[in-house]
Amino acid sequence: MSLVADIHKKLGAFSLDVALEAEEGITGLLGASGCGKSLTLKCIAGIERPDSGVIELDGEILFDSGKKIDLTPQKRGVGYLFQNYALFPNMTVRKNILCGLRPVKDRRERERELQDVIRLMRLEGLEDHLPAQLSGGQQQRAALARIIVTKPRLLLLDEPFSALDTHLRNTLKIELKDLLRSLGIRTLLVTHSRDEAYDLCTEIAVMDRGRISVRKPSRALFDDPEYVAAAVMTGCTNIAGAVKTGEKSVAVPDWGICLKTARKVPEDVRAVGIYARDFSPCETENRFRAVHCDTSEEPEETVFRFRFETQRPDTAPVWWRPGRTGGPETFPGELGVSPEKILLLKE
Amino acid sequence: MCFFAMFPGRDEVSMDLYPLYNSLRIAAISSVLVFFLGIFFAYYAARLPRVVKGILDVILTLPMVLPPTVCGYFLLLIFGMKRPLGIFLMQFGFRFVMTWYGGVLASMVVSFPLMYRTARGAFESFDRTLAYSGQTLGLSNTFIFWRIRMPACRQGILAGVVLAFARGLGEYGATSMLIGYTPGSTATISTTVYQLWRTNDEAGAFFWVMVNLIISAVVLLAVNLLESRQRRRRSE
């Protein structure tokens, strides 16, 4: 029971080469905008045709360029929630949902399913509203209702929260998580937000310039992103080129320091990454003198930016987020980082 | 009727309203046919490769910028009674020269580009994700076209039909070349105006000028109303 996709497509200078597998639960496709996430979803749904490749869902071939199989989107059994929800503007919520129920021929059965999904998605009283009269959250629920009634084998969510105000996002995120869990529907979620991916997905695939660089369970990905692109997408602000100097040590020329690591350094290491939260003034290992650059205040915490004393002048400052509690009022002269927190990154 | 009272010497009884009837008939039939043709070409042109689309676009829009007499010339070249196609159609009893339905043909050729271009503009501004989501919901492409795409582009397409109707009504050049002027048979408002003016029936010409003016004004008013409604809808 899984989705297996191997997609190749060239669009001008951009080329998409994605090999992806998704099992039960929510799989996240995390990547910067323009990396080909949405294009991947469109290929799986059958809206875009790959130049070559294979797409298989639960053993059924949806697309196979070699065997010349290319099912229409109508026959794929794949639900697609668009960024703008794509509710039909000329139809009421009720009619929008009935669009998904057209295959149900029995009128009473259709009406029953309609009422069920309206109750499930808490759309009572909104049946006769046009999409333009709904709030962003209601639009999302209506669009999901319309998809759910088609009983898709796979649900594709394309940046489901990007059209919403920030304060709504977190509430809807929790709602969506609960809904997907209770429906037990296998989902592929496209997002550029690490918070959404971390919270919602059981597994995350990081996409970078048309390729998937790494695919891991969410927690494992944030603990060890392995690749530079993945580290950037997980929110690691401090990344610098590195050279292996020993089994468990690397030199970082840009920062002018050597770091001890807990993990064995692979031969093909290209860079190290340190999350801004992982520096500590109390840590005794990997401790270096640091010069304060500037401080910025965020609602939740204070962010320090500093340079190592030995750091090259033309390189970017290093970020430190001590958090609201436990953070010092003034910048300490020395900071350390535990060897376990050093991320070893490949290109 | 007070309208006729404005034209001394022309009362309702002696008034021959055939040109009005003929013009409305030609314009109505031609705009219905142009509606389907325009939508068909606008829809399929959008899916063609860029080069083919560009060439087709030029050919389909040409009648809009050519003098109508040139269109009429081409129509005679194709459907003339001594031309192969003309002779062929004659065998089935169809003759486009000097018949009222020849006027439909002339009017279609000239008004087609207006419908085609407005429909294409409307289709191009259509949000594609609506069609995509329809497909992933299992809706047939026919359903998506008539129940989602057309309603979403309704205002633009309606404006195109109205423009095509108005243009068909005012058609003179191609019409006079292809079907000429025969009172009670091929006479339209525009050819009647010219004929009456030529024969020094100034009052008659003025009457038909006023009729034409009123119809055109109503049509343009309708277009403006449609457009302002569309603007309001967008700003909502």
Side-chain angles (χ1 to χ4, degrees), chain A residues 42 45 47-48 73-74 78 80 82 84 86-91 99-100 102 146-147 150, chain B residues 127-141 143-144 147-148 151-152 154:
Chain A
K42 289 197 171 109
I47 297 163
E48 292 275 353
Q74 283 93 338
V78 173
Y80 198 130
F82 285 87
N84 61 357
L87 289 165
F88 305 138
N90 54 317
M91 298 184 196
C99 277
R102 276 171 69 82
R146 191 174 69 167
I147 295 169
T150 66
Chain B
D127 177 7
R128 277 195 204 176
T129 58
L130 294 181
Y132 293 154
S133 70
Q135 288 181 320
T136 54
L137 289 169
L139 299 174
S140 73
N141 288 333
F143 181 94
I144 293 169
R147 304 290 291 278
I148 296 162
R154 189 180 58 218

Side-chain angles (χ1 to χ4, degrees), chain A residues 4-229:
Chain A
V4 185
D6 177 32
I7 301 166
H8 306 278
K9 186 172 175 69
K10 263 186 99 75
L11 274 180
F14 179 81
S15 87
L16 183 75
D17 297 284
V18 167
L20 179 70
E21 270 176 57
E23 274 111 47
E24 298 303 311
I26 308 177
T27 305
L29 264 183
L30 180 65
S33 50
C35 73
K37 298 168 294 184
S38 293
L39 186 62
T40 306
L41 287 198
K42 289 197 171 109
C43 286
I44 294 170
I47 297 163
E48 292 275 353
R49 187 202 305 253
D51 296 338
S52 64
V54 180
I55 301 167
E56 229 182 276
L57 183 58
D58 297 342
E60 191 197 348
I61 296 170
L62 304 183
F63 178 86
D64 189 330
S65 53
K67 292 181 189 157
K68 301 234 180 284
I69 296 174
D70 183 12
L71 293 190
T72 62
Q74 283 93 338
K75 289 195 185 131
R76 293 196 179 195
V78 173
Y80 198 130
L81 182 73
F82 285 87
Q83 234 176 88
N84 61 357
Y85 310 136
L87 289 165
F88 305 138
N90 54 317
M91 298 184 196
T92 59
V93 169
R94 186 191 156 80
K95 286 202 174 134
N96 262 288
I97 298 173
L98 282 175
C99 277
L101 281 169
R102 276 171 69 82
V104 182
K105 289 296 165 221
D106 181 50
R107 256 188 79 177
R108 237 180 293 149
E109 171 71 13
R110 199 164 53 207
E111 190 60 29
R112 200 180 54 74
E113 285 198 34
L114 175 73
Q115 294 308 330
D116 282 353
V117 82
I118 282 175
R119 208 169 314 121
L120 176 71
M121 299 310 291
R122 295 185 292 107
L123 290 164
E124 296 107 329
L126 300 171
E127 293 94 331
D128 296 320
H129 283 52
L130 286 171
Q133 298 167 304
L134 302 180
S135 72
Q138 291 165 341
Q139 285 187 22
Q140 192 189 63
R141 294 208 300 272
L144 272 170
R146 191 174 69 167
I147 295 169
I148 289 168
V149 293
T150 66
K151 304 188 178 63
R153 291 179 290 175
L154 171 71
L155 179 61
L156 307 176
L157 304 177
D158 192 353
E159 301 272 6
F161 308 105
S162 65
L164 301 169
D165 292 335
T166 332
H167 67 274
L168 263 175
R169 267 181 217 175
N170 288 324
T171 332
L172 283 172
K173 200 167 67 182
I174 296 162
E175 275 187 24
L176 186 68
K177 193 160 104 176
D178 291 345
L179 177 77
L180 294 176
R181 193 170 294 158
S182 65
L183 289 172
I185 192 166
R186 183 179 24 206
T187 305
L188 203 55
L189 171 95
V190 152
T191 178
H192 64 265
S193 152
R194 64 180 187 129
D195 298 342
E196 277 169 33
Y198 188 76
D199 188 14
L200 290 170
C201 304
T202 37
E203 206 174 45
I204 297 173
V206 178
M207 265 192 92
D208 177 40
R209 282 164 292 173
R211 269 160 230 277
I212 286 178
S213 48
V214 57
R215 183 169 72 97
K216 278 184 161 190
S218 323
R219 303 292 177 274
L221 177 76
F222 280 72
D223 286 345
D224 180 17
E226 283 184 63
Y227 292 85
V228 174

